[in-house]
Amino acid sequence: MTKGILGLIACPMVDDNLVYSLSKDSEEKNIVIIDNDNNTSIKSKLAKADIPFSIVAWNDILSRNYKLDGDRYTILIYMTNLGLHAEPEKLKSTVENLATEMQPFVDAIGFYLGTCGNYEWSPARWCKEKGFKPSATFHDCNGCLCHDCVGINIAGGPKYNEMQKKYVGYFYVFPAMASNWDEFNAADSSNSAATEESLTPEMREVLGIEPGHDGYMRWLFSLGGYEYILKIDTGLGDQEQYEKDLQKISERMRLKIKIPEENWADLQPTNDLYNECKSFLQE
């Protein structure tokens, strides 16, 4: 029997992984989602999976106006802004601050996110060093940290390195990245906005940059030698929508879609993370 409060700090780029684990788990769960601008996707996916949840303001948790039920298996989900991947230091400080604020209200924490450029940072290890509640994040079967959302979906860094050697000039896309393409892009475009604004029509013509942000992105892909999208099919999410979203990205970025010769997608990190999180609350 599972009893207690599990806090989850999650990025929308891996909400398919979370919904998959919650759907697989037949045990009764009391799911509470923090009300913010980042929870639209997770709410929609839970509703589609017929998984009930309630919405609570973060301030009501912090002020103790809302009391989480520790006598049940309660899951508190705080969705972060997926745009934080473009600002590693801000991502790190945001996650650490949230983990600190959660301490009085939860019995354990699961980090459903990548480190996104913070390669020496493990939020679970950081919690352990601080003497915080038990926590876990995505790892491969050898305990190596999964550094970003691609690594999470193909089971770790070493396998990621092998993929990069085999598929040079490919842009890796999995279902949640496809469905969140514009939001994902917007985070990076905020950093490149000044550069784009400095480009006069004459400069664009000389450099071969077409109008609009898509034109700028196509130019960046060409500079990087990208010709293809590598379809990483985890089997998660809405598969029909994945195909549509992937096709749109292909057309907008003018990259051809390729399917890898081998089955690179792997849900081992996803399964292990959820099982580890639940183990903290087993009686």
Side-chain angles (χ1 to χ4, degrees):
M1 179 180 176
T2 310
K3 180 180 175 182
I5 302 165
L6 172 64
L8 299 181
I9 300 174
C11 172
M13 292 296 269
V14 291
D15 63 4
D16 281 336
N17 306 67
L18 176 54
V19 172
Y20 157 79
S21 292
L22 294 174
S23 299
K24 272 185 58 179
D25 183 5
S26 61
E27 186 170 4
E28 183 181 349
K29 297 172 287 293
N30 173 36
I31 298 175
V32 178
I33 300 176
I34 295 302
D35 188 15
N36 62 28
D37 293 335
N38 310 311
N39 66 19
T40 302
S41 177
I42 188 74
K43 289 191 298 183
S44 173
K45 291 174 181 179
L46 286 173
K48 190 171 183 178
D50 292 322
I51 299 175
F53 59 87
S54 56
I55 304 294
V56 176
W58 184 230
N59 282 340
D60 284 342
I61 300 289
L62 298 179
S63 64
R64 301 183 187 275
N65 286 333
Y66 181 92
K67 181 175 173 55
L68 294 163
D69 189 352
D71 292 327
R72 303 168 62 190
Y73 176 26
T74 295
I75 301 174
L76 174 68
I77 303 174
Y78 191 112
M79 301 302 298
T80 64
N81 186 335
L82 68 81
L84 290 173
H85 79 89
E87 302 177 85
E89 282 301 318
K90 188 175 180 181
L91 167 66
K92 182 174 181 288
S93 62
T94 298
V95 170
E96 290 180 351
N97 288 339
L98 285 171
T100 301
E101 289 181 332
M102 273 191 182
Q103 290 305 305
F105 309 101
V106 302
D107 300 301
I109 294 181
F111 295 97
Y112 274 74
L113 42 80
T115 61
C116 300
N118 295 293
Y119 294 110
E120 299 301 319
W121 173 65
S122 163
R125 185 178 65 237
W126 178 83
C127 283
K128 185 176 182 180
E129 291 170 352
K130 297 286 286 186
F132 285 172
K133 304 288 176 58
S135 61
T137 191
F138 291 104
H139 288 85
D140 69 12
C141 60
N142 296 313
C144 297
L145 192 67
C146 296
H147 287 294
D148 64 16
C149 45
V150 173
I152 288 166
N153 286 296
I154 65 170
K159 195 173 176 184
Y160 202 157
N161 291 336
E162 292 305 311
M163 176 180 276
Q164 288 179 312
K165 292 175 189 176
K166 188 175 180 66
Y167 297 102
V168 179
Y170 288 74
F171 182 63
Y172 311 142
V173 179
F174 53 93
M177 182 182 286
S179 64
N180 288 299
W181 175 251
D182 285 321
E183 292 84 354
F184 176 77
N185 233 342
D188 289 325
S189 67
S190 64
N191 292 331
S192 62
T195 302
E196 283 194 68
E197 289 175 7
S198 70
L199 295 171
T200 64
E202 292 77 16
M203 291 171 66
R204 281 182 174 267
E205 183 175 355
V206 170
L207 293 171
I209 306 175
E210 297 173 84
H213 184 65
D214 276 4
Y216 183 73
M217 287 299 298
R218 287 193 290 269
W219 178 67
L220 288 180
F221 275 125
S222 68
L223 285 184
Y226 289 93
E227 298 181 26
Y228 305 102
I229 289 172
L230 190 67
K231 180 183 178 183
I232 300 174
D233 193 354
T234 59
L236 304 182
D238 185 329
Q239 289 290 290
E240 184 177 345
Q241 189 61 46
Y242 178 34
E243 296 293 340
K244 293 178 181 178
D245 292 336
L246 202 62
Q247 189 60 43
K248 286 179 183 178
I249 297 171
S250 171
E251 292 169 0
R252 288 170 60 181
M253 296 298 106
R254 295 176 191 160
L255 299 172
K256 301 171 186 175
I257 300 171
K258 294 284 187 178
I259 298 174
E261 296 173 6
E262 301 172 41
N263 185 16
W264 288 85
D266 193 332
L267 295 177
Q268 167 266 313
T270 296
N271 291 327
D272 286 358
L273 174 55
Y274 187 75
N275 291 337
E276 185 175 4
C277 285
K278 277 198 72 173
S279 73
F280 296 140
L281 305 180
Q282 299 293 323
E283 289 193 325

